[in-house]
Amino acid sequence: MDEQSCPRCKTTKYRNPSLTFMVNVCGHTLCENCVELVFIRGSAACFQCNVPLRRNDFRTQQFEDAVVEKEVDIRKKILKDFNKKEDDFVSLREYNDYLEDVETIIYNLTNNIDVDSTKRKIEQYKKANNDLIKKNRSKLSRDEEFIEYCIEQEQHDTELRKKQVLQEERTEKKKKQEKKEALIDDLMFSDLPAECILASHRELVKQMEPTVVPRMAPTQFSTGIKMGHQNLFVPIPRVEGVIYQHTDIVMETLGPHAPSQPDILEKGYLQNIRPASDQDRGGGYEAHLGCQRALADALYGLFFACEVGPSPVPSTSSSDISEMDVS
């Protein structure tokens, strides 16, 4: 993909790594500096399609492709009105047809196909389903409720972990302060030499094991699935019957048997075979495999004999016999 550049000032990310692109409602981009300069009075035309725009029509571009950015914005706006759920339909086929119509509307608006008729279709849908649109906006779907529950649970667990870490830090800090004060008191009031006091304190610190507050074990995965609360794996059904037993395949070679692998290695068959390289061995190939395959191809079918019957005698007709008599 070519380097993205501003259509007005021609600045690229290569020249200015901190350059920020902004995209408008028609899907075209401008850098942030050009947006501030061009739309200083509030409104102006797009540099690529001459659509009248306002400053608040621009937003920071999230995707490198402006078409993807346009589609995401259109999809958000369309799904605010086309918010029917599967429960609003009699059959699954009707719901799938509805989803297909929504995707067709998004595709047409993104690629500027039948824009006027598509907009009229949207307005007709809004008028016909105004009450249902408001009702669906007010209630959350089951997926959204589950996501909100997971977010709340994760926030709760995060707060508990933060409190636990803070408690550990306070406890550790308090212990260090107590040890420091005890050392200072011993140095001030004890009659022992300072070296002995320091050595005893070092030994005491080594012997004392730090009391660690047990941390809470995680109760769910990052996806929100509870640990140990759901059985997501279906047990394999047990099939009653005869246990399978493997039997070697007996092949009719119609020829002498090829030498076995020990014979090939011991009786000098490999003298006329190219030795395997390190790359061959890495792929699982050895020289005796190729030799055994070549010998098998040469020996198979040597004893094959085709059953040949007597050759058919050509029949002679009466006309042929008369011609022979005349001659």
Side-chain angles (χ1 to χ4, degrees):
M1 183 177 287
D2 297 336
E3 186 74 24
Q4 189 177 10
S5 62
C6 176
R8 181 178 179 274
C9 63
K10 308 301 181 184
T11 306
T12 63
K13 283 276 189 180
Y14 180 78
R15 298 176 184 175
N16 184 8
S18 61
L19 185 67
T20 302
F21 286 99
M22 304 189 73
V23 65
N24 54 42
V25 292
C26 60
H28 299 132
T29 58
L30 278 178
C31 68
E32 189 176 12
N33 296 331
C34 291
V35 171
E36 297 296 336
L37 291 173
V38 175
F39 293 89
I40 191 172
R41 295 183 178 179
S43 63
C46 177
F47 278 84
Q48 294 179 262
C49 62
N50 294 324
V51 173
L53 300 171
R54 299 177 63 85
R55 173 63 182 85
N56 54 11
D57 292 334
F58 284 86
R59 65 188 184 282
T60 304
Q61 184 174 349
Q62 302 294 331
F63 302 95
E64 186 176 358
D65 192 350
V67 178
V68 176
E69 191 77 32
K70 181 181 179 181
E71 181 184 351
V72 171
D73 182 60
I74 292 174
R75 184 176 295 276
K76 288 180 180 179
K77 293 179 180 178
I78 294 299
L79 293 182
K80 286 182 180 179
D81 297 324
F82 289 80
N83 54 6
K84 287 185 179 180
K85 308 299 179 183
E86 186 177 353
D87 300 335
D88 299 327
F89 296 88
V90 178
S91 63
L92 180 61
R93 179 61 182 270
E94 293 181 4
Y95 179 59
N96 290 332
D97 293 340
Y98 165 77
L99 294 179
E100 187 174 353
D101 291 338
V102 173
E103 293 299 325
T104 303
I105 291 172
I106 295 173
Y107 179 82
N108 291 343
L109 294 179
T110 303
N111 298 278
N112 299 322
I113 301 173
D114 298 333
V115 177
D116 295 335
S117 60
T118 304
K119 288 183 178 179
R120 287 195 298 269
K121 184 177 180 180
I122 294 173
E123 293 299 328
Q124 292 174 0
Y125 174 83
K126 288 182 180 180
K127 292 179 181 179
N129 301 273
N130 189 22
D131 296 336
L132 184 60
I133 291 172
K134 293 180 180 179
K135 179 181 177 182
N136 287 336
R137 283 182 182 177
S138 61
K139 67 178 182 179
L140 297 175
S141 64
R142 288 174 294 180
D143 294 338
E144 291 172 343
E145 290 177 355
F146 178 72
I147 291 172
E148 285 198 354
Y149 169 76
C150 292
I151 292 174
E152 291 178 359
Q153 189 68 26
E154 187 176 355
Q155 290 176 351
H156 177 69
D157 295 341
T158 303
E159 291 295 330
L160 290 179
R161 286 194 293 270
K162 286 182 179 179
K163 291 180 181 180
Q164 188 175 9
V165 171
L166 287 176
Q167 183 65 27
E168 291 177 1
E169 291 177 353
R170 290 173 184 170
T171 304
E172 190 67 23
K173 187 176 180 181
K174 184 178 179 181
K175 288 183 178 180
K176 289 181 178 179
Q177 186 66 25
E178 292 176 354
K179 293 176 184 178
K180 185 177 180 180
E181 292 177 355
L183 178 59
I184 293 173
D185 291 341
D186 290 342
L187 291 173
M188 290 178 62
F189 303 108
S190 179
D191 297 332
L192 297 174
E195 291 80 4
C196 296
I197 296 174
L198 292 174
S200 64
H201 273 271
R202 291 194 193 98
E203 194 67 25
L204 184 62
V205 170
K206 290 181 181 179
Q207 294 177 359
M208 292 178 61
E209 294 182 358
T211 305
V212 180
V213 180
R215 296 194 175 186
M216 294 175 55
T219 58
Q220 64 182 14
F221 298 101
S222 59
T223 55
I225 300 175
K226 297 288 185 181
M227 292 184 180
H229 292 277
Q230 294 182 1
N231 186 10
L232 301 179
F233 300 98
V234 179
I236 300 175
R238 185 176 179 179
V239 180
E240 299 292 341
V242 181
I243 300 176
Y244 172 77
Q245 293 181 354
H246 174 72
T247 55
D248 294 333
I249 300 175
V250 179
M251 298 180 60
E252 183 62 32
T253 61
L254 298 177
H257 294 287
S260 61
Q261 179 179 340
D263 292 340
I264 292 176
L265 296 176
E266 294 173 1
K267 296 182 179 181
Y269 283 95
L270 299 179
Q271 292 180 358
N272 299 320
I273 299 295
R274 178 181 65 84
S277 61
D278 294 338
Q279 290 84 353
D280 296 336
R281 294 190 185 93
Y285 174 80
E286 292 291 346
H288 67 83
L289 297 176
C291 181
Q292 192 172 15
R293 175 65 182 273
L295 290 172
D297 291 343
L299 297 176
Y300 286 177
L302 288 180
F303 297 161
F304 176 75
C306 180
E307 295 182 359
V308 179
S311 58
V313 179
S315 61
T316 56
S317 62
S318 59
S319 60
D320 295 335
I321 295 173
S322 62
E323 289 179 359
M324 290 173 64
D325 293 340
V326 171
S327 62

